[in-house]
Amino acid sequence: MDARFPDLGQHAPRIPPLNGQLKLGIPVGSLRIAPRLRWAARMDRLYLDETPTDGYGVVDMTLSWVRVTRTATHHLALVGHNLTDATYRHHTSVIKDIAARPGRGIRLSYSIRFY
């Protein structure tokens, strides 16, 4: 995106770069495998004191299992974030020059929903 202040001829601050994600949901019986690729382009259309931000690609993965009973739904999920342990920064972050986004991480969750 190329947002500018027309009177100043200056780019607007903290405009996000072109970015997106691709996610697949692959059912395998009662399991679901969902790989996801998140990406962002380099941002060098900057406001006065902003610094450029490199582009990045991050791979995530979710493995989930669902069991439905007569009175409840059980959901167990294992989620892996930034599996390649990439170092990346969001251009819109006010602390991007101090701290990168978190590295590799996993989360295990279980929920039960009654009805």
Side-chain angles (χ1 to χ4, degrees):
M1 177 176 269
D2 193 16
R4 289 180 173 264
F5 293 119
D7 296 341
L8 302 174
Q10 185 63 248
H11 292 283
R14 284 200 289 276
I15 298 298
L18 179 65
N19 66 83
Q21 65 178 329
L22 175 64
K23 184 175 181 179
L24 298 173
I26 305 164
V28 180
S30 60
L31 294 175
R32 192 187 78 161
I33 302 167
R36 178 173 73 161
L37 171 64
R38 295 180 287 136
W39 62 273
R42 176 176 169 74
M43 182 53 130
D44 53 12
R45 295 179 305 275
L46 308 170
Y47 187 62
L48 298 173
D49 291 329
E50 282 186 323
T51 55
T53 308
D54 291 333
Y56 62 85
V58 178
V59 177
D60 304 324
M61 177 74 73
T62 300
L63 302 173
S64 60
W65 171 80
V66 176
R67 180 168 182 252
V68 180
T69 65
R70 287 182 31 176
T71 59
T73 302
H74 302 265
H75 186 248
L76 179 65
L78 177 64
V79 180
H81 301 280
N82 191 5
L83 295 178
T84 60
D85 203 22
T87 300
Y88 68 103
R89 300 167 191 274
H90 283 270
H91 184 73
T92 57
S93 171
V94 294
I95 62 168
K96 71 177 176 109
D97 295 324
I98 300 167
R101 298 294 298 163
R104 182 181 304 121
I106 60 169
R107 180 182 71 228
L108 178 64
S109 65
Y110 171 76
S111 65
I112 184 168
R113 296 176 185 134
F114 297 98
Y115 46 88

